[in-house]
Each structure stands twice: as C-alpha cells, then as structure tokens.
Amino acid sequence: MKKPLQIEPNSQTPKYQQITDEIIERIQQGVLKRGDQLPTINEITGSLGVARMTVIRAYEELRERGIVAPQHGKGYYVISTDVQAKMHVFVLFDAMNSYKEALFLSLREALGDKVSIDLYFHYHELNVFENVIVNNLGNYHFYIIMPHFNEDVSEIVKQIPKDKLLILDIDVEQLDETYPTLYQDFEQNFYQGLTDALPKIRQYKSLTLFLSKNQFQYTPKGILKGFLKFCEANNIKNEVVDNLVFESLEAGNAYILFLENDLVRFVNYANRKDLTLGKNIGLLSYDDTPIKEILAEDGITTISNDFVEMGKLAGRMVHNRQKGKIRSESRLIVRGSL
C-alpha cells in the first residue's frame, strides 16, 4: 500500500474507526487486493501518531468482519474483499410494547441493510439480563442494551467493551460520562411535562399516580421522584398507589396510568359511571402510543419521548461509535383526557 493512511484528528469519528474505514475504502477502490499485506502496527503508529491500541482496535474490527487475518510473525493480510459483509448487532430490550416497537423499527432502519440484528429480552429479571450478556460476549460486533432496573447494574455492563456498546433509554448513573448512552432523564422529563400541564391539573382536587406493580410494568425511580417533586413545588394534593383500584376513583380528581390495559379499563369504568374525561375526571399517561391517540373520545394526554427520533439517533451513534451521554427530551402531548 504505497499511499500512507490518513485520518482527521479533529473528527468526531474515533481514530480506530477512521483507520478501519480508510482500509475498507481502499479495498473497494481496488488499491488493496486479496492477499495484500497491511502496514504493520508500528508503521501506522509512526505515520499517524496514534496509540498502538488504536491500530490494534482497527485491525481487530476488520478481523471480526472477516476482511483481514493475522499471520504469525508476519502481520495482517487481506483475506476477503467482501467489505459488504454484515455487521452483527446484539440488542437487549426489557420487553416489547407499542412504543418500543416504534423505537426498534426506527433503530433497525437507521442501522441499515448491512447490519443484522439479534433481539433479546430480559423482562426485568436481573439474572436473565446478566446471563444473556455474558453468554453473548464476543459473539457480536456491537451491543445495544436497555438496562431497565432500579438498581446498580454497572459491573454487568462493564463486561462489554465500551467502544462496542450503546446504553439505551436509561442512564446507568454509576458509569462515567464516556460511556455511550442515549437516555431519558425520567425525573426531569416527567417533572417538566407535569409542569407544562399544570394549568389543566389545577382544575382537579388531587393527582394520583398508579404504579401498576402487580402487572408487567417497570417504573423508573426518576418518574416517582419527578412526580413528588412537582406536587411539592406546586402544592398539589397527591397520592401514589401500587395498582389501579376502581373503588378509589372519584369525580373531580386526576389520575396517571402507564399500561394500555389499565387505560382501557379506566375509560370503560368512567363511561359506566357517566364520568367525562377532561371535565369531571382527568387522565394522563407516559409514553405515547397509537392507541392513546384514539382511546376515549379525544385521546389520552401523554408525556412522551419521540421514540422514532431516538431510534434514528441511536443508529447514528452506533455507526459513528459516538461516546458520551446524550439526553433524549420529552414533551407534553395535550389531548382531551385532562
């Protein structure tokens, strides 16, 4: 390879990824052919002024994709010019529901046709979360995980190489700021959403949060903190209840529910009791879904992240090997239920 490799020192793309991309481009151009020897690690570190580990990471990436292979004592050689070989990505969600389906479909589209995805679920079982990760270490080019737990999972997550990891939807606070994370700040997002809805909430005597603990529902601790912070700041009479109890529903009050099944039951109950959503009883939910747009006469008011946009951004972060923690904003979507 006569022309030395080149990288852009100020680019957001990691240096090892730039080296990988440069070699792939030269294979595509026919400059590098099958059987050609790549520059040695020492040659690249000398010409580019990068660390040895940077070059090793680049060559390891190419090796995992089946493009190059080492020969003992001789260096790395091109063994395949099929640079279109798919990148294999491990995705671990807690569970699938309407908004996570939107997130996954958007992520899959953003990753593109050259990426194959294996999707796993941990269902909020910590041992399942750990076992699925440990049993798949080294089997994929990249790992996207959704660690939906209200406890420290940092030691489990640390087993995945940082440069092959994206933490999605929730921040693992015990991990430093260099860990690639695209997250919702549940406390701040929920607090801000309720604050935006304050004029409507003030129409009601009290605000009750149903956690749906007996059902398959994960409620981040930040949501509860944001709720209590909002109620205290605005002197809102409030209550937190583990599960939906119809006997506790009263006209003149507002309620927050998460599960779609609970929302349907709530609406049916209100209809039977001649309670009108948005007038003599209020209803608010978190995470928007298509059913919440059409449920009841004028839909359900929600505080929601844009999961389609989150999927697109997650895909870009994977392709760019972007580091750092990025917060995904939420917004209040006002409909007739509040």
Side-chain angles (χ1 to χ4, degrees), residues 14-244:
K15 292 182 177 65
Y16 85 90
Q17 189 64 44
Q18 292 187 58
I19 295 172
T20 301
D21 294 342
E22 179 87 356
I23 291 173
I24 288 175
E25 183 178 352
R26 295 192 182 194
I27 292 174
Q28 290 174 320
Q29 293 171 345
V31 176
L32 280 172
K33 299 178 176 62
R34 181 170 178 159
D36 286 352
Q37 183 177 10
L38 298 181
T40 67
I41 293 173
N42 287 338
E43 287 173 343
I44 297 181
T45 57
S47 64
L48 297 181
V50 297
R52 285 181 57 84
M53 185 55 66
T54 299
V55 185
I56 291 172
R57 283 186 179 183
Y59 280 7
E60 183 65 15
E61 175 84 9
L62 293 165
R63 185 195 64 78
E64 288 180 352
R65 293 176 61 174
I67 297 172
V68 307
Q71 290 189 19
H72 183 67
K74 294 184 178 181
Y76 285 81
Y77 288 78
V78 178
I79 62 170
S80 173
T81 56
D82 181 14
V83 295
Q84 304 301 325
K86 287 193 173 183
M87 174 184 180
H88 299 293
V89 175
F90 169 98
V91 176
L92 178 58
F93 278 13
D94 57 337
M96 187 62 81
N97 52 35
S98 296
Y99 63 87
K100 285 176 188 149
E101 181 180 9
L103 170 61
F104 177 75
L105 292 176
S106 177
L107 170 64
R108 187 174 66 182
E109 182 178 358
L111 289 175
D113 295 335
K114 297 177 183 178
V115 174
S116 66
I117 300 173
D118 287 340
L119 178 61
Y120 300 84
F121 301 97
H122 59 73
Y123 301 106
H124 311 127
E125 294 286 346
L126 190 58
N127 63 322
V128 175
F129 177 76
E130 181 172 18
N131 289 338
V132 171
I133 289 176
V134 170
N135 291 337
N136 285 285
L137 289 175
N139 295 339
Y140 293 88
H141 300 121
F142 206 89
Y143 297 79
I144 302 172
I145 64 170
M146 190 177 284
H148 276 188
F149 297 95
N150 286 326
E151 52 192 298
D152 182 6
V153 296
S154 59
E155 292 305 314
I156 299 173
V157 175
K158 285 178 182 178
Q159 297 180 75
I160 303 172
K162 191 188 304 185
D163 61 314
K164 297 183 178 181
L165 171 67
L166 175 62
I167 300 169
L168 192 59
D169 200 44
I170 190 166
D171 183 25
V172 179
E173 297 174 355
Q174 294 81 6
L175 298 176
D176 65 51
E177 295 298 318
T178 63
Y179 270 84
T181 306
L182 176 57
Y183 72 101
Q184 297 186 66
D185 184 335
F186 289 101
E187 179 178 349
Q188 180 57 33
N189 288 352
F190 202 55
Y191 176 85
Q192 185 59 53
L194 291 173
T195 300
D196 293 341
L198 181 58
K200 291 186 173 294
I201 292 173
R202 287 226 184 266
Q203 302 175 52
Y204 300 95
K205 296 181 293 184
S206 70
L207 183 63
T208 299
L209 174 66
F210 288 114
L211 297 176
S212 303
K213 279 192 173 181
N214 287 345
Q215 302 181 63
F216 191 65
Q217 169 64 30
Y218 163 75
T219 305
K221 60 184 179 182
I223 283 183
L224 181 58
K225 288 182 177 180
F227 173 77
L228 297 175
K229 178 182 174 182
F230 164 79
C231 292
E232 181 178 359
N234 295 283
N235 196 28
I236 302 293
K237 183 180 178 182
N238 66 90
E239 186 176 10
V240 177
V241 180
D242 284 348
N243 297 287
L244 175 59

Side-chain angles (χ1 to χ4, degrees), residues 12-14 17 315-323:
Q12 290 187 345
T13 303
Q17 189 64 44
R316 292 197 296 271
M317 291 180 71
V318 171
H319 282 305
N320 296 333
R321 298 297 199 273
Q322 188 168 337
K323 297 179 180 179

